[in-house]
């Protein structure tokens, strides 16, 4: 997609009608989601940028897009620089840009359903320097001019069985009710889609690749709850699953309910990081007392119970077999010149589909990048960009599956042909960082921020780095990007706890030439030995060969070589009985010791 000037023109005409001098367009929905339904892709519709994270500011005479390091190359490819500037969100933040370019006393609109109250407060304070007014719009101006905007989906809400969830929804709500009573709150307002799905043990298909239904919820301190969901998405099976303690109301009755809740003098636990600003407006204007605290589902969802942990292990063995079948096929077809990025995506899905009894979808759009396209961190292949896998080129494929018992996310980087010495050096340094993080033991109370540099150190030693986080949390048949845990330079302060699942994915990207990333998922567990301090470590979950043809063994230490050989032996042992028969000989070769 590229920027369409007629859309910018129509939006600016609508801004004039609403007496606005500009409008902020985030890539999110009313649930503060990272991945959104088609109806909420307002940023892509206006700017042409199709990445999964970004924001734009549209003024009457200029516009700008703001992205992180994963999308700087993609942004330049997809937007028209004559119509929209592009900036790294840290180098030139959106609010600073608006302050520099909007006129004194300007009226800048925003949609309160698409902003947190924290952002609202920060923007108001910053804009006051220039008497700029932040205006909450009654109707989103993008929606007013997007004539063929998709409707919100109406797929059915599906119960998620306790045998996969590991805990009944009633037990979860009982825990949260106790938490609310301790906090002095009558209820918690839950708006994040994966929190709602987790709390009620329900799933859906309203967001591509993320098995969640569009719904809001209010969890009460007496263990009852209200679920706000479109009536057309509810059947008798769901009503039985939810039970008598859950009242079902129409989704569009949510804000009115909040107003009535506030008018009754109730106290609400609200999360300024996940509840949108309209939630705060509805409660505060009606007189509710607010207790600001984290969504009580988030940390409970992040710490997987024993059933979810085992489910993830099982899902990853299944997924590893599919990856091996794919990599074997690629080793045969790739050098023939018969494979392009889109064909690789299709074949990998076919490999995963062998396990269709538990597989429900991909966990995100597969990143299939050949040569220079691999240097675009979150590249998305299309007919316009599709590239053949060429001899002596690196190919990066980042993919995942949504299985009933677990969510997977794996990246493998392979060489088609013969690598250069530089390629081998860069790949091996990424591998060294991956191994270093994988083998790290850390004290109880340590956050991911404290671990991030471990994975970067081998690259830093030669003046290299990568512009993305090292690890993100992962759900259990839920969002592939899950908080609050994270491993990054500017990571979450939340300590890593046993039961949390994260990715371990250092990388290196040479613009215009190739990209490298090695990604496994890991499970935090307590070290099983007597120590003065309580210590944690990572249990590896992902099993698939790492391309030995890209490794420079001369810069690896003996313990690193031992780790790789042990990892490959375990990979072979776990997968040898479930890969396709024609894959087995390749698997033996791919996991042979170095």
């Amino acid at each position: 997609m590229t920027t369409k000037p007629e859309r910018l023109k129509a939006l600016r005409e609508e801004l004039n009608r609403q007496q606005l001098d500009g409008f902020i367009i985030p890539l999110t929905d009313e649930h503060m989601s990272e991945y959104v339904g088609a109806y909420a892709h307002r940023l892509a519709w206006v700017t042409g940028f199709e990445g999964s994270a970004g924001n734009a500011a549209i003024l009457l005479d200029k516009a700008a897009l703001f992205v992180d390091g994963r999308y700087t190359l993609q942004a330049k490819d997809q937007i028209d620089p004559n119509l929209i500037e592009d900036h790294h969100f840290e180098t030139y933040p959106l609010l600073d840009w608006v302050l520099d370019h909007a006129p004194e006393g300007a009226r800048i609109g925003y949609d309160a359903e698409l902003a947190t109250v924290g952002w609202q407060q920060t923007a108001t304070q910053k804009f006051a320097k220039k008497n700029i007014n932040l205006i909450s719009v009654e109707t989103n101006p993008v929606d007013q001019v997007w004539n063929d905007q998709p409707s919100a989906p109406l797929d059915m809400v599906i119960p998620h069985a306790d045998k996969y969830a590991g805990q009944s929804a009633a037990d979860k709500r009982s825990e949260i009710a106790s938490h609310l009573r301790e906090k002095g709150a009558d209820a918690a307002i839950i708006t994040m889609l994966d929190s709602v799905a987790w709390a009620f043990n329900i799933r859906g298909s309203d967001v591509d690749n993320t098995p969640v239904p569009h719904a809001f919820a209010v969890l009460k301190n007496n263990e009852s709850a209200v679920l706000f969901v479109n009536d057309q998405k509810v059947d008798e099976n769901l009503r039985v699953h939810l039970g008598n303690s859950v009242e079902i109301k129409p989704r569009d009755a949510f804000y009115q309910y909040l107003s009535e809740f506030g008018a009754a003098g109730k106290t609400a636990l609200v999360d300024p990081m996940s509840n949108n600003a309209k939630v705060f407006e509805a409660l505060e204007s009606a007189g509710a007392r607010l207790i600001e605290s984290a969504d009580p589902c988030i940390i409970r969802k992040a710490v997987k119970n024993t059933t979810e942990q085992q489910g993830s292990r099982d899902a990853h063995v299944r997924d590893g077999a599919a990856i091996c079948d794919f990599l074997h096929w690629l080793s045969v077809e790739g050098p023939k010149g018969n494979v392009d990025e889109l064909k690789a995506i299709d074949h990998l899905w076919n490999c995963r589909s062998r396990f269709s009894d538990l597989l429900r979808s991909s966990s995100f759009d597969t990143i299939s990048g050949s040569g220079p396209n691999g240097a675009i961190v979150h590249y998305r292949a299309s007919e316009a960009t599709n590239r053949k896998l060429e001899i002596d080129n690196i190919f990066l494929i980042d993919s995942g599956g949504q299985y009933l018992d677990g969510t997977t996310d794996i990246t493998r980087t392979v060489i088609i042909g013969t690598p250069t010495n530089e390629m081998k050096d860069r790949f091996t340094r990424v591998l060294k960082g991956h191994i270093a993080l994988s083998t790290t033991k850390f004290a109880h109370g340590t956050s991911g921020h404290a671990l991030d540099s471990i994975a970067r150190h081998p690259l830093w030693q030669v003046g290299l780095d990568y512009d993305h986080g090292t690890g993100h949390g992962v759900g259990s048949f839920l969002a592939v990007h899950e908080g609050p845990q994270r491993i990054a330079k500017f990571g979450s302060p939340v300590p890593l706890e046993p039961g949390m699942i994260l990715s371990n994915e250092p990388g290196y990207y040479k613009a215009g030439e190739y990209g490298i990333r090695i990604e496994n998922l890991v499970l935090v567990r307590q070290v099983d030995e007597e120590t003065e301090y309580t210590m944690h470590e990572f249990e590896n979950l992902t099993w698939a060969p790492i391309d030995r043809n890209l490794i420079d063994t001369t810069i690896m230490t003996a313990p690193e070589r031992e780790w790789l050989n042990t990892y490959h032996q375990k990979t072979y042992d776990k997968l040898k009985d479930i890969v396709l028969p024609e894959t087995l000989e390749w698997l033996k070769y791919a996991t042979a010791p170095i």
Side-chain angles (χ1 to χ4, degrees):
M1 185 182 286
T2 56
T3 310
K4 292 182 168 61
E6 65 273 16
R7 294 181 179 178
L8 279 172
K9 181 174 182 290
L11 177 58
R12 284 172 169 143
E13 290 173 352
E14 178 62 24
L15 295 183
N16 275 318
R17 278 192 289 273
Q18 295 195 24
Q19 297 182 318
L20 296 172
D21 299 296
F23 188 67
I24 308 299
I25 307 174
L27 202 175
T28 191
D29 60 14
E30 55 272 39
H31 306 276
M32 296 293 106
S33 305
E34 176 184 8
Y35 297 111
V36 301
Y39 76 96
H41 278 285
R42 299 175 179 90
L43 185 69
W45 188 84
V46 172
T47 68
F49 170 70
E50 295 179 310
S52 65
N55 299 283
I58 311 297
L59 303 181
L60 297 178
D61 59 346
K62 53 178 65 70
L65 173 73
F66 304 84
V67 298
D68 62 41
R70 297 172 296 172
Y71 297 108
T72 50
L73 296 177
Q74 183 175 343
K76 292 183 185 304
D77 286 342
Q78 292 185 329
I79 66 171
D80 184 340
N82 295 312
L83 299 173
I84 302 176
E85 303 171 18
D86 70 277
H87 299 286
H88 192 293
F89 80 104
E90 290 177 335
T91 305
Y92 197 0
L94 180 149
L95 296 180
D96 289 350
W97 184 90
V98 173
L99 201 61
D100 289 343
H101 294 89
E104 181 96 17
R107 291 167 50 85
I108 303 298
Y110 79 106
D111 187 333
E113 276 201 287
L114 307 181
T116 64
V117 69
W119 180 90
Q120 177 194 58
Q121 292 168 352
T122 300
T124 299
Q125 292 168 4
K126 187 169 283 271
F127 288 171
K129 299 174 184 176
K130 202 173 176 180
N131 295 318
I132 293 174
N133 300 293
L134 187 65
I135 307 297
S136 175
V137 298
E138 290 188 14
T139 57
N140 191 304
V142 177
D143 297 350
Q144 292 297 104
V145 297
W146 188 357
N147 295 324
D148 58 350
Q149 184 179 22
S151 300
L154 293 175
D155 295 339
M156 301 303 292
V157 181
I158 302 165
H160 185 53
D162 288 1
K163 69 177 182 179
Y164 299 122
Q167 184 183 18
S168 71
D171 285 348
K172 292 176 179 180
R173 293 196 299 274
S174 177
E175 282 186 15
I176 290 171
S178 177
H179 173 76
L180 294 175
R181 291 192 295 270
E182 290 174 5
K183 289 278 190 179
D186 294 301
I189 313 304
I190 308 298
T191 55
M192 287 182 64
L193 295 177
D194 58 343
S195 287
V196 174
W198 177 87
F200 294 88
N201 282 350
I202 56 177
R203 298 294 187 267
S205 53
D206 291 345
V207 178
D208 288 346
N209 305 319
T210 305
V212 292
H214 277 140
F216 298 106
V218 174
L219 302 180
K220 299 182 181 180
N221 68 5
N222 64 358
E223 303 184 17
S224 68
V226 185
L227 180 66
F228 298 85
V229 62
N230 191 303
D231 291 340
Q232 297 177 61
K233 301 165 70 63
V234 177
D235 61 12
E236 187 58 27
N237 185 40
L238 180 69
R239 293 182 188 277
V240 171
H241 167 77
L242 292 173
N244 295 330
S245 295
V246 177
E247 182 182 6
I248 301 174
K249 287 181 173 289
R251 187 170 184 269
D252 57 12
F254 175 61
Y255 293 106
Q256 179 59 36
Y257 181 93
L258 296 185
S259 296
E260 294 169 0
F261 181 92
K266 301 283 190 177
T267 299
L269 187 148
V270 288
D271 184 353
M273 300 299 293
S274 67
N275 294 145
N276 68 55
K278 188 172 179 178
V279 167
F280 281 75
E281 289 176 5
L283 289 166
E284 288 181 316
S285 63
R289 176 174 171 260
L290 303 186
I291 298 174
E292 293 192 4
S293 183
D295 172 345
C297 300
I298 290 177
I299 191 66
R300 292 168 174 81
K301 172 168 52 69
V303 177
K304 310 299 183 281
N305 59 49
T306 55
T307 299
E308 292 171 318
Q309 292 175 30
Q310 188 57 48
S312 186
R313 294 185 188 101
D314 295 343
H316 277 89
V317 170
R318 213 177 298 123
D319 203 63
I323 293 293
C324 287
D325 292 339
F326 168 79
L327 292 175
H328 165 246
W329 168 84
L330 185 65
S331 72
V332 174
E333 299 298 325
K336 296 178 183 177
N338 295 335
V339 181
D340 59 33
E341 294 165 343
L342 293 175
K343 187 174 183 179
I345 292 172
D346 290 342
H347 191 80
L348 177 52
W349 175 249
N350 290 337
C351 292
R352 280 200 170 96
S353 297
R354 184 158 68 92
F355 303 104
S356 60
D357 56 329
L358 291 170
L359 181 70
R360 290 298 176 263
S361 71
S362 297
S363 56
F364 56 96
D365 290 329
T366 296
I367 299 166
S368 174
S370 171
N373 287 343
I376 303 171
V377 179
H378 272 201
Y379 169 69
R380 189 172 176 181
S382 66
E383 292 293 346
T385 65
N386 190 26
R387 191 174 186 275
K388 285 254 186 181
L389 277 59
E390 298 176 355
I391 288 294
D392 300 339
N393 271 214
I394 280 178
F395 174 61
L396 181 154
I397 187 153
D398 185 349
S399 69
Q402 289 285 10
Y403 300 88
L404 288 175
D405 52 355
T407 300
T408 68
D409 182 2
I410 174 175
T411 307
R412 286 299 181 262
T413 304
V414 299
I415 183 69
I416 308 297
T418 304
T420 64
N421 289 335
E422 180 192 90
M423 290 174 178
K424 293 177 70 172
D425 176 84
R426 303 305 189 254
F427 183 90
T428 307
R429 292 183 183 280
V430 171
L431 175 58
K432 286 166 71 71
H434 179 93
I435 294 171
L437 183 59
S438 183
T439 56
T440 293
K441 294 182 180 182
F442 51 96
H444 177 74
T446 302
S447 70
H449 170 68
L451 303 181
D452 181 75
S453 61
I454 294 169
R456 298 179 190 270
H457 183 258
L459 290 165
W460 283 355
Q461 292 299 98
V462 290
L464 304 173
D465 200 2
Y466 49 93
D467 197 3
H468 60 74
T470 298
H472 56 82
V474 178
S476 178
F477 188 43
L478 275 175
V480 73
H481 289 173
E482 177 183 86
Q485 71 274 29
R486 189 165 181 250
I487 302 173
K489 288 180 180 178
F490 307 103
S492 164
V494 174
L496 303 186
E497 296 184 33
M500 288 180 170
I501 295 175
L502 300 103
S503 64
N504 172 4
E505 51 179 311
Y508 170 73
Y509 310 90
K510 188 171 185 179
E513 295 197 28
Y514 59 84
I516 293 166
R517 188 160 63 251
I518 301 170
E519 178 184 17
N520 286 0
L521 297 192
V522 293
L523 172 68
V524 180
R525 68 185 182 192
Q526 187 168 323
V527 173
D528 188 20
E529 60 186 64
E530 291 278 339
T531 53
E532 185 174 345
Y533 287 91
T534 300
M535 301 296 292
H536 301 322
E537 63 184 357
F538 294 120
E539 172 191 336
N540 187 76
L541 294 174
T542 304
W543 304 104
I546 294 167
D547 192 354
R548 295 178 305 128
N549 298 312
L550 275 165
I551 296 174
D552 178 0
T553 58
T554 66
I555 61 171
M556 291 185 75
T557 65
E560 290 169 342
R561 293 193 296 271
E562 181 182 358
W563 181 94
L564 183 65
N565 288 337
T566 300
Y567 174 78
H568 275 156
Q569 184 61 55
K570 288 181 178 179
T571 297
Y572 178 79
D573 291 342
K574 289 175 181 290
L575 304 183
K576 60 184 172 62
D577 295 329
I578 56 173
V579 295
L580 294 172
E582 59 267 30
T583 300
L584 187 57
E585 282 303 312
W586 173 88
L587 181 61
K588 288 179 182 177
Y589 167 78
T591 57
I594 58 171

